[in-house]
Amino acid sequence: MRKFTYLVPKTLDEAISLHEARGERAKYIAGGTDVLVKIKEGKLAPDYLISLKHILSQDRPFLNNETGELYVGAFMTHRSIEKSPLVQLHYPILHDAVKNIGSVQIRNVATIGGNLVNAVPSADGAIPLIALDGKAHIYSAKGERTMELLRFFLGPGQCDLGRGEILTEVVIPPQRPRTGSAYMKHGRREAMELPMLGVGVLLSLEEDLNTCAQARICLGVAAPTPFRALMAEKFLVGKAINAENLAEAGRIAGDESRVRDSIRGVAWYRREMVGVLVKRMGLKALERAENKAEGGRLTV
Amino acid sequence: MAREVSFVFNGNPMKMTVGDHWTLLHLIREELGYLGTKEGCGSGECGACTVIVDGEAVNSCLFLAAEIDGRELLTIEGLAVGDGTLHPLQKAFIENGGIQCGFCSPGMIMAGKALLDENPNATEEEIKEAIAGNLCRCTGYVQIIESIKSVSGHQTEEPRVIAWKTEENDRDA
């Protein structure tokens, strides 16, 4: 592999000043499963790699008990999110997504922040975090700024990150009661593949456990960036959650999609599958919301 | 740039100087001379270079050697005991025909070992998930899954797998 100098800062401030002093010749690295491949392929040629792996931070998602917010640190590995009982129990949409990213070997080192800053249209990690109304926290020499994660993605491979800035975490606000969620990556196989389509649905129900109080329909690979099918979401609110209404929401979401032909699938098929999968994930989200309600206490 | 790292290699504490740009795979094969760990694709797609770091399976081709500092590294050479007695997983691969050309075997066995160390009663589904990142171009995977299953405590008879898709994936809306 091409030679570089590996720098290992212990704090965010140290990382930023190391980057500032070296400018274009430096590149941040966390898990390295994308950066090292790009260096090997000659697509990146940094003289300095600044590791974000040794910056002291939490290594698994945790809940702020006072605010009810979930903190997902950018330097957490996919595996630590996948194995988190908190995520499995209360944020199943996130668990659905991270468990099929790459392979066990990749998930053991690759970080969720790396998945997000790559900003590929297929970013599996982004869809559930957007559906959960996640906010991105971004750190730089000027301090911290936050933004809706949805707005963080600007185009294929482009995110709203200035030179030297570091995505530090995604914070998820408390969920409404009676909420269920599900994500599915559609492709030829589950593991080791970028999705042809990624569909995440989150539904919050009224007390009757049937009427939709709030909906999030978030799609990957259906547009240049991850996006929310706002018309389809609006259609569901106030309506009964059943197969018929979910199918209609799916049809609307398909119309909202800006799908295109690519090596992994053609546009018309993708659009059809948006309809199929929005309905399927909607039914799964409903089932999960009901199960959670039957369990009695809602802890989150 | 280079740096000094201390780590435990197959049970032996080591100290050595590594280049910043070395991968762990380079360290194992080219510097230490242990050739059991294979390089297939070099980009994390094939799993032939799988080793275990602090109990977790990783692709050594995408892991910087500098990051091994303070950690424990296990390669395929560390499985058999001193007198040459093979590890149960290695025996199982031989007995079940889990090995043909042998190129994927070290990676498969290390991925299987990381799974069983954490979950000694892994089911067939869990085994398939654990080796999803390992390619084999000879066996068709069935014998490999059987090999790992024969060592797992969970050995109930399940129908043989002929496709990778799960029921859930195939179910129509």
Side-chain angles (χ1 to χ4, degrees):
Chain A
M1 196 162 34
R2 189 182 182 279
K3 283 193 178 178
F4 51 76
T5 299
Y6 190 59
L7 303 169
V8 187
K10 292 279 194 295
T11 66
L12 283 173
D13 290 323
E14 198 188 333
I16 283 164
S17 66
L18 284 171
H19 193 281
E20 229 164 40
R22 287 162 186 81
E24 294 287 307
R25 297 168 67 203
K27 174 92 188 154
Y28 290 127
I29 181 172
T33 54
D34 281 308
V35 171
L36 293 180
V37 172
K38 284 177 185 157
I39 291 174
K40 287 183 179 191
E41 289 174 347
K43 288 177 185 163
L44 277 180
D47 293 324
Y48 299 91
L49 282 182
I50 301 169
S51 172
L52 303 177
K53 264 172 92 165
H54 298 267
I55 290 170
L56 279 180
S57 60
Q58 300 276 348
D59 63 352
R60 67 201 63 196
F62 64 99
L63 209 59
N64 179 328
N65 283 323
E66 274 169 29
T67 61
E69 291 169 320
L70 179 77
Y71 285 75
V72 181
F75 318 133
M76 291 175 187
T77 64
H78 291 91
R79 192 73 169 155
S80 71
I81 298 170
E82 174 190 355
K83 283 189 181 172
S84 156
L86 179 65
V87 169
Q88 289 171 8
L89 214 61
H90 297 296
Y91 303 87
I93 190 172
L94 184 54
H95 182 253
D96 287 349
V98 292
K99 74 172 188 219
N100 282 326
I101 292 178
S103 59
V104 171
Q105 290 96 318
I106 295 287
R107 295 199 295 279
N108 276 334
V109 291
T111 63
I112 188 79
N115 185 273
L116 296 176
V117 301
N118 276 335
V120 291
S122 55
D124 283 296
I127 308 301
L129 293 171
I130 291 172
L132 290 163
D133 289 339
K135 279 201 173 55
H137 287 226
I138 296 154
Y139 195 79
S140 72
K142 286 179 237 150
E144 195 185 56
R145 67 188 175 99
T146 63
M147 66 188 305
E148 297 291 329
L149 182 62
L150 178 64
R151 292 184 31 243
F152 180 67
F153 301 99
L154 303 177
Q158 273 186 299
C159 61
D160 187 359
L161 214 51
R163 197 159 97 184
E165 283 192 316
I166 298 171
L167 173 70
T168 56
E169 61 197 359
V170 174
V171 179
I172 292 167
Q175 294 184 83
R176 290 175 174 235
R178 300 171 295 278
T179 290
S181 59
Y183 173 83
M184 185 180 158
K185 156 163 102 175
H186 182 56
R188 287 169 305 174
R189 62 176 291 209
E190 285 184 13
M192 295 304 292
E193 191 171 62
L194 297 178
M196 182 196 294
L197 196 66
V199 176
V201 175
L202 178 144
L203 299 170
S204 302
L205 306 174
E206 300 287 4
E207 276 177 29
D208 63 2
L209 284 181
N210 185 258
T211 311
C212 178
Q214 192 181 57
R216 293 284 180 270
I217 297 173
C218 195
L219 305 175
V221 216
T225 58
F227 85 106
R228 274 174 56 191
L230 296 173
M231 302 291 285
E233 291 178 0
K234 207 173 155 193
F235 168 80
L236 281 179
V237 174
K239 294 206 172 59
I241 295 297
N242 55 36
E244 198 188 340
N245 283 336
L246 285 170
E248 179 59 13
R251 197 194 56 75
I252 299 170
D255 284 345
E256 286 181 82
S257 302
R258 286 179 286 148
V259 286
R260 62 182 192 103
D261 294 337
S262 84
I263 190 167
R264 268 181 281 276
V266 290
W268 70 264
Y269 176 72
R270 280 199 168 107
R271 195 182 305 280
E272 288 280 309
M273 288 312 289
V274 168
V276 171
L277 296 177
V278 163
K279 177 180 155 192
R280 198 182 295 175
M281 290 305 99
L283 290 171
K284 201 167 180 179
L286 174 68
E287 193 186 313
R288 283 174 171 171
E290 288 169 348
N291 284 345
K292 216 166 145 187
E294 271 169 30
R297 265 161 42 79
L298 291 162
T299 43
V300 176
Chain B
M1 282 279 286
R3 67 191 60 228
E4 189 157 282
V5 294
S6 306
F7 62 104
V8 177
F9 177 61
N10 292 337
N12 303 309
M14 302 201 58
K15 199 172 247 192
M16 63 186 292
T17 304
V18 302
D20 276 7
H21 65 291
W22 290 2
T23 61
L24 186 55
L25 180 65
H26 174 92
L27 171 69
I28 294 165
R29 286 183 61 92
E30 314 301 329
E31 307 296 330
L32 295 173
Y34 283 80
L35 302 180
T37 308
K38 308 300 184 202
E39 174 158 31
C41 65
S43 57
E45 302 280 346
C46 77
C49 67
T50 302
V51 297
I52 298 179
V53 174
D54 284 349
E56 294 186 328
V58 303
N59 291 317
S60 60
C61 73
L62 294 183
F63 196 99
L64 288 178
E67 286 291 337
I68 202 64
D69 188 41
R71 308 178 80 171
E72 212 166 300
L73 170 64
L74 184 68
T75 68
I76 189 73
E77 288 88 353
L79 293 198
V81 287
D83 66 357
T85 306
L86 295 179
H87 185 277
L89 258 176
Q90 291 173 306
K91 282 185 197 157
F93 268 66
I94 295 168
E95 283 159 13
N96 290 281
I99 293 181
Q100 281 188 32
C101 87
F103 197 83
C104 76
S105 311
M108 287 284 183
I109 291 171
M110 297 315 279
K113 182 172 191 313
L115 169 71
L116 295 181
D117 285 350
E118 194 192 334
N119 175 7
N121 298 311
T123 63
E124 184 162 320
E125 266 315 304
E126 289 164 334
I127 293 167
K128 287 194 304 192
E129 192 205 311
I131 61 166
N134 294 74
L135 294 180
C136 169
R137 299 290 80 157
C138 311
T139 70
Y141 301 101
V142 175
Q143 294 93 324
I144 291 173
I145 293 166
E146 296 285 325
S147 304
I148 300 174
K149 206 158 80 175
S150 74
V151 181
S152 159
H154 188 96
Q155 288 179 45
T156 51
E157 273 302 307
E158 286 176 55
R160 282 206 157 194
V161 184
I162 49 167
W164 282 95
K165 291 262 180 186
T166 62
E167 226 179 30
E168 186 182 76
N169 242 4
D170 290 338
R171 194 175 60 198
D172 219 353

